[in-house]
Amino acid sequence: MSVPNPPEPIPGARLLFSLDPAVSHLNHGSFGAVPIGVQRAQQRLRDEMEANPLRFFTQGLVDRIAHTRRHLAGFLGADPDGSALVGNTTTGVAVVLQSVGLKAGDEVLSTDHGYGAVSLAIQRECRRTGAVSRVLPIPLAATDEQIVQSIRAGLRPGRTRLLVVDQLTSATAKLFPTAAIVGVAREHGVPVLVDAAHAPGMLPTPVAGIGADFWVGNLHKWAYAPRGTALLAVAPQWRDRIEPLVVSWEQESGFPARLEWQATLDYTPWLAAPAGLFTMRSLGVDRVREHNAALAAYGQRVVGDALGVAPADLPDPGGPGVALRLIPLPAGTGTTIDAARALQARIGERLAAEVAVMSWSGRGWLRLTGQVYNAADEYERLGARLPALLAQR
């Protein structure tokens, strides 16, 4: 079975990161990797903070946060005045869930591709309010049209109070047609929350043109920001209703300041995040995206070939530019969350390769990523050694 050639490496890109060279880091999607220059920018901000904490927190910090937000929102195609910086996507989801005013008899509709922590947040808010969580199954091979039609059929106007969908799913590495989904939901008067944890840095201007009521994505995964940096974009009609999880001194300032200001929070990840975008632009934003997507596709084919998976059986992300790829594991392997986590740890320990192992729809899946610090031979080594590891029961 022939495997296409990998993309040409981006010269010098590997040297921008402080990753352990003895390990193949093929799971950028979980926690990202912060370039050395961005680490240093954040450390300079920490030094400034510790040199004079009172001055750092009381003289101009709110304005500095707002300036950073405008910069990041512009990169994502979001309205800076309708956006707020938050710690991560799950924080943004929690903010939205507690702000939409769920009550007994309401329903939150999501899909079985949703992120586990988001599902738990929905369940908790439903328990608290008396609302009901309903999960809509979507086949992995579903086309965009089939996804939209499934969601259209699943909406219950008058009862479905919120629809939660992924822009790019974590568990299944599938690109959802979010703009079309939002259009269908709008026809039925149902607000939409888009979980876009993986979109910033991977998809071009991922907020623009979708029209969602709520959109939240991490910049610390694919946009090289320090961890703890995400942006929540909110449609105009909802902004006055957004409440922070914790009330602090900017509460009376309204959205977004009431959400962003959390007293002695460490704001250095946010303030250093533009340095991550500078790194991307220095390498070439389109070049990085194209390289990463092509390398992930190469890795999927190489490892899939080693496991005896036909190219036609390798899941397609459903759109260009996706640097997350799935490979089905042999039947009976990694079929539960505990088994998937144990296998992921074994691969890391014995093969010196960090990957994601997912359990979804009763089957185990290997999720690989492509990033500028990766090389083709890392996937080739994994493919050469993984079958023997999986054969050990």
Side-chain angles (χ1 to χ4, degrees):
M1 176 186 312
S2 63
V3 175
N5 293 326
E8 289 294 324
I10 297 178
R14 177 65 181 82
L15 300 176
L16 298 176
F17 297 84
S18 55
L19 294 164
D20 183 352
V23 176
S24 294
H25 301 273
L26 307 178
N27 183 20
H28 185 89
S30 286
F31 299 104
V34 185
I36 295 170
V38 182
Q39 295 177 39
R40 290 175 176 168
Q42 185 181 11
Q43 187 57 52
R44 287 192 294 271
L45 288 161
R46 285 176 173 148
D47 292 342
E48 177 191 349
M49 177 172 61
E50 297 306 332
N52 193 329
L54 185 65
R55 178 180 298 169
F56 182 85
F57 281 98
T58 63
Q59 296 187 23
L61 181 56
V62 172
D63 290 337
R64 292 173 76 177
I65 293 169
H67 177 75
T68 298
R69 180 199 338 118
R70 285 193 289 271
H71 188 98
L72 301 181
F75 177 76
L76 299 174
D79 176 4
D81 295 324
S83 304
L85 294 173
V86 292
N88 53 37
T89 295
T90 49
T91 299
V93 167
V95 167
V96 172
L97 287 171
Q98 69 131 33
S99 298
V100 295
L102 294 174
K103 60 185 184 302
D106 288 342
E107 173 186 272
V108 178
L109 181 65
S110 58
T111 80
D112 60 349
H113 294 251
Y115 185 60
V118 170
S119 299
L120 291 172
I122 293 171
Q123 293 166 19
R124 187 188 71 169
E125 192 64 18
C126 286
R127 285 195 304 270
R128 191 181 71 84
T129 61
V132 175
S133 171
R134 188 161 60 91
V135 179
L136 191 66
I138 302 288
L140 185 58
T143 64
D144 285 358
E145 182 178 356
Q146 289 169 337
I147 293 171
V148 172
Q149 291 305 319
S150 293
I151 290 175
R152 184 193 300 275
L155 293 171
R156 297 174 178 173
R159 183 173 180 186
T160 305
R161 188 71 179 83
L162 182 68
L163 170 64
V164 182
V165 294
D166 295 73
Q167 191 163 19
L168 175 59
T169 68
S170 175
T172 58
K174 189 171 181 64
L175 192 65
F176 270 37
T178 45
I181 291 170
V182 170
V184 166
R186 186 179 294 117
E187 293 173 7
H188 293 82
V190 176
V192 181
L193 165 59
V194 175
D195 176 347
H198 287 275
M202 189 188 299
L203 305 179
T205 55
V207 185
I210 290 177
D213 299 82
F214 314 98
W215 179 102
V216 59
N218 292 323
L219 287 102
H220 54 248
K221 289 184 182 287
W222 298 92
Y224 301 154
R227 293 173 196 88
T229 306
L231 187 119
L232 171 64
V234 180
Q237 67 271 23
W238 288 99
R239 292 170 191 171
D240 290 342
R241 290 184 258 181
I242 294 294
E243 292 287 348
L245 301 177
V246 179
V247 173
S248 198
W249 281 104
E250 290 295 319
Q251 178 68 15
E252 299 305 316
S253 298
F255 182 87
R258 66 163 50 146
L259 202 60
E260 292 174 332
W261 185 256
Q262 294 293 302
T264 51
L265 182 74
D266 183 359
Y267 299 97
T268 63
W270 298 355
L271 299 180
L277 301 188
F278 176 81
T279 302
M280 280 198 77
R281 290 175 174 131
S282 298
L283 295 172
V285 175
D286 291 339
R287 185 187 189 190
V288 167
R289 289 174 176 149
E290 292 168 5
H291 170 274
N292 292 348
L295 190 57
Y298 174 78
Q300 182 191 42
R301 284 291 298 273
V302 167
V303 179
D305 186 32
L307 295 179
V309 181
D313 294 329
L314 293 172
D316 187 329
V322 177
L324 289 164
R325 293 282 177 148
L326 279 192
I327 302 156
L329 291 170
T333 303
T335 57
T336 67
I337 292 177
D338 288 344
R341 288 174 177 170
L343 176 57
Q344 179 174 310
R346 284 174 60 210
I347 294 172
E349 292 166 1
R350 300 188 188 183
L351 305 187
E354 299 295 352
V355 300
V357 179
M358 324 296 288
S359 173
W360 185 82
S361 192
R363 181 159 193 175
W365 305 83
L366 183 73
R367 193 190 73 185
L368 298 177
T369 61
Q371 189 48 264
V372 296
Y373 52 71
N374 291 130
D377 62 358
E378 294 179 290
Y379 306 92
E380 294 160 6
R381 286 197 303 271
L382 178 63
R385 301 175 65 192
L386 184 59
L389 181 95
L390 295 180
Q392 299 169 7
R393 297 284 180 163

